Amino acid sequence: MGMTKLRADFSIVTPLFMGGADPQSAELRVSGMKGMLRFWWRALAWSRLKSVDQVRSEEAKIFGSTEEGQSSVKIRLLPPKKTVPIKKKSVLSYNDGTDAGEGSIYLGYGLIEANGELNRRCLGYPIEDGALELSFLPSTPEDNIKSVEAALLAMGFFGGLGSRSRKGYGSFNLKKLTRGDETDPVFISPSDKDGLKRAILNLFDPDGRYKILRYDGLPPYTAFSKMMRIDILDTSDEPLRLLNSIGDKMMEYRSYRKEKNFLDDYKLIRDALAGNVIYNHPKRSIFGLPHNYYFSSTKESAKVKPKDHERRASPLFIHIQRMNESQFAAITAIIPADF
């Protein structure tokens, strides 16, 4: 019995901030893609294994580790025919050459200055005609191969590559997944919003190809559960403009002065500054930590960060999905875990 092979044809539909040892370089790297595939594999594995030790053990058997040794899958990148590096200090722009809006700059905070200038190089969008070839050792159990298939689908629906991938940059689109010499693909990317909804539901069908059950509780790490929420939002013919519209809405929603959505958060922080013991956390923690508060009336400030850590990533994932040559959809996934 020979090796089982998968081929994952992909595109990346928003600017990609990914590089190697030189943080100012911009390149597509198979090591980073493998790392992200492992992330989505773990997200799917928890509901099945329900043990961190078992998840680590099975992940190591598939992808390799110092304890388990060699990976049972070899991953090779067939690079896109053309990538366009965008230099540092260039201004982030749409494909028509106009400067990108405040929403897309906001979602790229840290990589992009307030005036739109890039703090590091990136690869322009879209990146087309890339592929991953995955070759599994003959001894690899069928269930393990299917678990990697499912992780590729999840990565294609919700994930991205490189820095700020949770904010929609480097959105990875799985165009087609084929297995060996089989003529019928395992997966073909849907071409409209209804097809996209069906494809996501099929991934989580407990009686479907991957028999994925959603965990009934709060996972200890980012993993799919009954507490997650997935939405297909706006559509547009331009992916970065679509991402910009989400950034605009997020800025508006988070604005205390404009929307007054988080009055309780400000009261909570005022109580803390007054010396009261607080047993709760700000609702805006959903957007990640740390975040800062400043009260102009009293000149007081406060910084909220996770206990024992400097940062906590947001459980909100933003992804831009191509449906056809002229339409893209925004997908958001809230995947909560023990905070």
Side-chain angles (χ1 to χ4, degrees), residues 36-42 44 63 146-157 172 203 210 212:
M36 193 54 64
L37 182 60
R38 292 178 74 146
F39 173 89
W40 290 106
W41 184 93
R42 290 192 295 269
L44 291 168
F63 295 103
K146 283 188 174 180
S147 73
V148 175
E149 286 183 12
L152 282 164
L153 265 65
M155 182 172 160
F157 289 137
F172 176 90
L203 173 61
Y210 304 113
I212 294 171

mmCIF file of all heavy atoms in Angstrom, residues 36-42 44 63 146-157 172 203 210 212:
data_model
loop_
_atom_site.group_PDB
_atom_site.id
_atom_site.type_symbol
_atom_site.label_atom_id
_atom_site.label_comp_id
_atom_site.label_asym_id
_atom_site.label_seq_id
_atom_site.Cartn_x
_atom_site.Cartn_y
_atom_site.Cartn_z
ATOM 1 N N MET A 36 -0.311 26.836 11.023
ATOM 2 C CA MET A 36 -1.712 27.225 11.042
ATOM 3 C C MET A 36 -2.622 26.019 10.837
ATOM 4 O O MET A 36 -3.699 25.934 11.441
ATOM 5 C CB MET A 36 -1.970 28.283 9.968
ATOM 6 C CG MET A 36 -3.305 28.978 10.097
ATOM 7 S SD MET A 36 -3.600 29.702 11.746
ATOM 8 C CE MET A 36 -2.308 30.939 11.833
ATOM 9 N N LEU A 37 -2.194 25.069 10.021
ATOM 10 C CA LEU A 37 -2.975 23.842 9.838
ATOM 11 C C LEU A 37 -3.080 23.085 11.160
ATOM 12 O O LEU A 37 -4.146 22.551 11.503
ATOM 13 C CB LEU A 37 -2.329 22.971 8.767
ATOM 14 C CG LEU A 37 -3.040 21.665 8.421
ATOM 15 C CD1 LEU A 37 -4.448 21.918 7.901
ATOM 16 C CD2 LEU A 37 -2.230 20.875 7.391
ATOM 17 N N ARG A 38 -2.000 23.040 11.925
ATOM 18 C CA ARG A 38 -2.034 22.385 13.233
ATOM 19 C C ARG A 38 -3.005 23.096 14.174
ATOM 20 O O ARG A 38 -3.705 22.460 14.966
ATOM 21 C CB ARG A 38 -0.621 22.354 13.846
ATOM 22 C CG ARG A 38 0.346 21.463 13.108
ATOM 23 C CD ARG A 38 1.742 21.485 13.710
ATOM 24 N NE ARG A 38 1.814 20.740 14.964
ATOM 25 C CZ ARG A 38 2.893 20.057 15.350
ATOM 26 N NH1 ARG A 38 3.975 20.020 14.593
ATOM 27 N NH2 ARG A 38 2.884 19.420 16.505
ATOM 28 N N PHE A 39 -3.030 24.431 14.106
ATOM 29 C CA PHE A 39 -3.949 25.200 14.948
ATOM 30 C C PHE A 39 -5.389 24.774 14.683
ATOM 31 O O PHE A 39 -6.156 24.513 15.627
ATOM 32 C CB PHE A 39 -3.785 26.695 14.657
ATOM 33 C CG PHE A 39 -4.793 27.570 15.343
ATOM 34 C CD1 PHE A 39 -4.550 28.076 16.604
ATOM 35 C CD2 PHE A 39 -6.005 27.889 14.725
ATOM 36 C CE1 PHE A 39 -5.489 28.881 17.251
ATOM 37 C CE2 PHE A 39 -6.947 28.692 15.364
ATOM 38 C CZ PHE A 39 -6.683 29.184 16.624
ATOM 39 N N TRP A 40 -5.794 24.693 13.407
ATOM 40 C CA TRP A 40 -7.173 24.328 13.091
ATOM 41 C C TRP A 40 -7.437 22.853 13.341
ATOM 42 O O TRP A 40 -8.560 22.461 13.675
ATOM 43 C CB TRP A 40 -7.510 24.730 11.651
ATOM 44 C CG TRP A 40 -7.580 26.225 11.532
ATOM 45 C CD1 TRP A 40 -6.665 27.051 10.940
ATOM 46 C CD2 TRP A 40 -8.588 27.084 12.084
ATOM 47 N NE1 TRP A 40 -7.053 28.369 11.081
ATOM 48 C CE2 TRP A 40 -8.223 28.415 11.766
ATOM 49 C CE3 TRP A 40 -9.763 26.851 12.786
ATOM 50 C CZ2 TRP A 40 -9.011 29.500 12.150
ATOM 51 C CZ3 TRP A 40 -10.545 27.938 13.163
ATOM 52 C CH2 TRP A 40 -10.161 29.234 12.853
ATOM 53 N N TRP A 41 -6.401 22.027 13.215
ATOM 54 C CA TRP A 41 -6.555 20.612 13.581
ATOM 55 C C TRP A 41 -6.890 20.505 15.068
ATOM 56 O O TRP A 41 -7.797 19.758 15.464
ATOM 57 C CB TRP A 41 -5.269 19.845 13.252
ATOM 58 C CG TRP A 41 -5.390 18.373 13.524
ATOM 59 C CD1 TRP A 41 -5.758 17.401 12.652
ATOM 60 C CD2 TRP A 41 -5.159 17.714 14.791
ATOM 61 N NE1 TRP A 41 -5.785 16.172 13.285
ATOM 62 C CE2 TRP A 41 -5.422 16.337 14.592
ATOM 63 C CE3 TRP A 41 -4.770 18.146 16.052
ATOM 64 C CZ2 TRP A 41 -5.296 15.402 15.621
ATOM 65 C CZ3 TRP A 41 -4.656 17.215 17.078
ATOM 66 C CH2 TRP A 41 -4.919 15.870 16.857
ATOM 67 N N ARG A 42 -6.181 21.246 15.930
ATOM 68 C CA ARG A 42 -6.455 21.217 17.368
ATOM 69 C C ARG A 42 -7.856 21.736 17.670
ATOM 70 O O ARG A 42 -8.533 21.230 18.567
ATOM 71 C CB ARG A 42 -5.417 22.054 18.122
ATOM 72 C CG ARG A 42 -4.026 21.457 18.158
ATOM 73 C CD ARG A 42 -3.135 22.186 19.162
ATOM 74 N NE ARG A 42 -2.890 23.559 18.783
ATOM 75 C CZ ARG A 42 -1.867 23.966 18.039
ATOM 76 N NH1 ARG A 42 -0.986 23.071 17.569
ATOM 77 N NH2 ARG A 42 -1.695 25.237 17.750
ATOM 78 N N LEU A 44 -10.480 21.384 15.968
ATOM 79 C CA LEU A 44 -11.465 20.341 15.676
ATOM 80 C C LEU A 44 -11.298 19.116 16.573
ATOM 81 O O LEU A 44 -12.249 18.365 16.785
ATOM 82 C CB LEU A 44 -11.339 19.905 14.213
ATOM 83 C CG LEU A 44 -11.760 20.933 13.159
ATOM 84 C CD1 LEU A 44 -11.317 20.473 11.780
ATOM 85 C CD2 LEU A 44 -13.267 21.152 13.189
ATOM 86 N N PHE A 63 1.758 15.235 13.026
ATOM 87 C CA PHE A 63 2.591 16.333 12.537
ATOM 88 C C PHE A 63 4.036 16.281 13.038
ATOM 89 O O PHE A 63 4.855 17.090 12.613
ATOM 90 C CB PHE A 63 1.970 17.669 12.939
ATOM 91 C CG PHE A 63 0.638 17.928 12.294
ATOM 92 C CD1 PHE A 63 -0.535 17.768 13.020
ATOM 93 C CD2 PHE A 63 0.553 18.330 10.974
ATOM 94 C CE1 PHE A 63 -1.767 18.014 12.441
ATOM 95 C CE2 PHE A 63 -0.673 18.580 10.377
ATOM 96 C CZ PHE A 63 -1.840 18.413 11.112
ATOM 97 N N LYS A 146 -8.374 11.899 7.441
ATOM 98 C CA LYS A 146 -9.602 12.695 7.363
ATOM 99 C C LYS A 146 -9.578 13.872 8.333
ATOM 100 O O LYS A 146 -10.152 14.931 8.049
ATOM 101 C CB LYS A 146 -10.816 11.808 7.632
ATOM 102 C CG LYS A 146 -11.190 10.927 6.447
ATOM 103 C CD LYS A 146 -12.504 10.207 6.694
ATOM 104 C CE LYS A 146 -12.947 9.436 5.464
ATOM 105 N NZ LYS A 146 -14.229 8.723 5.694
ATOM 106 N N SER A 147 -8.911 13.709 9.471
ATOM 107 C CA SER A 147 -8.832 14.824 10.419
ATOM 108 C C SER A 147 -8.020 15.976 9.832
ATOM 109 O O SER A 147 -8.308 17.148 10.100
ATOM 110 C CB SER A 147 -8.232 14.362 11.746
ATOM 111 O OG SER A 147 -6.832 14.116 11.649
ATOM 112 N N VAL A 148 -7.022 15.666 9.001
ATOM 113 C CA VAL A 148 -6.244 16.714 8.336
ATOM 114 C C VAL A 148 -7.065 17.341 7.211
ATOM 115 O O VAL A 148 -7.013 18.555 6.999
ATOM 116 C CB VAL A 148 -4.912 16.146 7.807
ATOM 117 C CG1 VAL A 148 -4.157 17.204 7.010
ATOM 118 C CG2 VAL A 148 -4.046 15.652 8.964
ATOM 119 N N GLU A 149 -7.839 16.527 6.496
ATOM 120 C CA GLU A 149 -8.760 17.076 5.494
ATOM 121 C C GLU A 149 -9.691 18.115 6.136
ATOM 122 O O GLU A 149 -9.873 19.220 5.615
ATOM 123 C CB GLU A 149 -9.622 15.965 4.887
ATOM 124 C CG GLU A 149 -8.931 15.049 3.912
ATOM 125 C CD GLU A 149 -9.902 14.025 3.326
ATOM 126 O OE1 GLU A 149 -11.128 14.168 3.504
ATOM 127 O OE2 GLU A 149 -9.425 13.069 2.694
ATOM 128 N N ALA A 150 -10.287 17.739 7.260
ATOM 129 C CA ALA A 150 -11.221 18.635 7.942
ATOM 130 C C ALA A 150 -10.521 19.920 8.392
ATOM 131 O O ALA A 150 -11.095 21.013 8.313
ATOM 132 C CB ALA A 150 -11.851 17.929 9.138
ATOM 133 N N ALA A 151 -9.275 19.798 8.864
ATOM 134 C CA ALA A 151 -8.524 20.980 9.288
ATOM 135 C C ALA A 151 -8.263 21.916 8.115
ATOM 136 O O ALA A 151 -8.315 23.143 8.260
ATOM 137 C CB ALA A 151 -7.212 20.562 9.932
ATOM 138 N N LEU A 152 -8.002 21.358 6.938
ATOM 139 C CA LEU A 152 -7.811 22.185 5.743
ATOM 140 C C LEU A 152 -9.088 22.949 5.404
ATOM 141 O O LEU A 152 -9.047 24.117 5.029
ATOM 142 C CB LEU A 152 -7.384 21.311 4.560
ATOM 143 C CG LEU A 152 -5.922 20.872 4.539
ATOM 144 C CD1 LEU A 152 -5.715 19.717 3.555
ATOM 145 C CD2 LEU A 152 -5.013 22.048 4.159
ATOM 146 N N LEU A 153 -10.247 22.278 5.542
ATOM 147 C CA LEU A 153 -11.515 22.956 5.283
ATOM 148 C C LEU A 153 -11.756 24.080 6.287
ATOM 149 O O LEU A 153 -12.158 25.193 5.909
ATOM 150 C CB LEU A 153 -12.668 21.951 5.313
ATOM 151 C CG LEU A 153 -13.097 21.369 3.967
ATOM 152 C CD1 LEU A 153 -12.002 20.519 3.345
ATOM 153 C CD2 LEU A 153 -14.367 20.544 4.109
ATOM 154 N N ALA A 154 -11.519 23.805 7.569
ATOM 155 C CA ALA A 154 -11.715 24.833 8.598
ATOM 156 C C ALA A 154 -10.787 26.017 8.368
ATOM 157 O O ALA A 154 -11.200 27.180 8.482
ATOM 158 C CB ALA A 154 -11.480 24.235 9.983
ATOM 159 N N MET A 155 -9.550 25.733 8.015
ATOM 160 C CA MET A 155 -8.586 26.791 7.716
ATOM 161 C C MET A 155 -9.064 27.612 6.522
ATOM 162 O O MET A 155 -8.911 28.840 6.491
ATOM 163 C CB MET A 155 -7.225 26.145 7.429
ATOM 164 C CG MET A 155 -6.081 27.073 7.150
ATOM 165 S SD MET A 155 -4.561 26.080 7.097
ATOM 166 C CE MET A 155 -3.473 27.177 6.196
ATOM 167 N N GLY A 156 -9.688 26.945 5.544
ATOM 168 C CA GLY A 156 -10.173 27.637 4.358
ATOM 169 C C GLY A 156 -11.418 28.468 4.589
ATOM 170 O O GLY A 156 -11.666 29.426 3.866
ATOM 171 N N PHE A 157 -12.212 28.128 5.590
ATOM 172 C CA PHE A 157 -13.430 28.882 5.893
ATOM 173 C C PHE A 157 -13.215 30.009 6.892
ATOM 174 O O PHE A 157 -13.900 31.032 6.837
ATOM 175 C CB PHE A 157 -14.514 27.957 6.461
ATOM 176 C CG PHE A 157 -15.123 27.019 5.472
ATOM 177 C CD1 PHE A 157 -15.363 25.701 5.820
ATOM 178 C CD2 PHE A 157 -15.470 27.444 4.201
ATOM 179 C CE1 PHE A 157 -15.935 24.817 4.913
ATOM 180 C CE2 PHE A 157 -16.045 26.570 3.287
ATOM 181 C CZ PHE A 157 -16.275 25.252 3.648
ATOM 182 N N PHE A 172 -6.929 32.838 3.915
ATOM 183 C CA PHE A 172 -6.605 31.628 3.145
ATOM 184 C C PHE A 172 -7.894 31.023 2.610
ATOM 185 O O PHE A 172 -8.804 30.718 3.380
ATOM 186 C CB PHE A 172 -5.878 30.639 4.060
ATOM 187 C CG PHE A 172 -5.568 29.308 3.434
ATOM 188 C CD1 PHE A 172 -4.379 29.101 2.760
ATOM 189 C CD2 PHE A 172 -6.459 28.241 3.547
ATOM 190 C CE1 PHE A 172 -4.080 27.872 2.196
ATOM 191 C CE2 PHE A 172 -6.174 27.000 2.988
ATOM 192 C CZ PHE A 172 -4.986 26.814 2.307
ATOM 193 N N LEU A 203 -19.419 20.634 7.084
ATOM 194 C CA LEU A 203 -18.191 20.349 7.838
ATOM 195 C C LEU A 203 -18.519 19.894 9.246
ATOM 196 O O LEU A 203 -17.871 18.991 9.787
ATOM 197 C CB LEU A 203 -17.293 21.595 7.868
ATOM 198 C CG LEU A 203 -16.040 21.521 8.753
ATOM 199 C CD1 LEU A 203 -15.107 20.412 8.290
ATOM 200 C CD2 LEU A 203 -15.313 22.861 8.767
ATOM 201 N N TYR A 210 -16.799 13.813 8.206
ATOM 202 C CA TYR A 210 -15.811 13.954 9.279
ATOM 203 C C TYR A 210 -16.382 13.689 10.671
ATOM 204 O O TYR A 210 -15.635 13.657 11.643
ATOM 205 C CB TYR A 210 -15.188 15.356 9.211
ATOM 206 C CG TYR A 210 -14.592 15.610 7.853
ATOM 207 C CD1 TYR A 210 -15.148 16.564 6.997
ATOM 208 C CD2 TYR A 210 -13.512 14.867 7.394
ATOM 209 C CE1 TYR A 210 -14.623 16.776 5.731
ATOM 210 C CE2 TYR A 210 -12.981 15.070 6.131
ATOM 211 C CZ TYR A 210 -13.549 16.018 5.304
ATOM 212 O OH TYR A 210 -13.036 16.215 4.041
ATOM 213 N N ILE A 212 -17.912 15.303 12.998
ATOM 214 C CA ILE A 212 -17.437 16.230 14.017
ATOM 215 C C ILE A 212 -18.567 16.567 14.980
ATOM 216 O O ILE A 212 -19.637 17.022 14.571
ATOM 217 C CB ILE A 212 -16.880 17.506 13.371
ATOM 218 C CG1 ILE A 212 -15.630 17.159 12.560
ATOM 219 C CG2 ILE A 212 -16.554 18.563 14.426
ATOM 220 C CD1 ILE A 212 -15.127 18.293 11.709
#
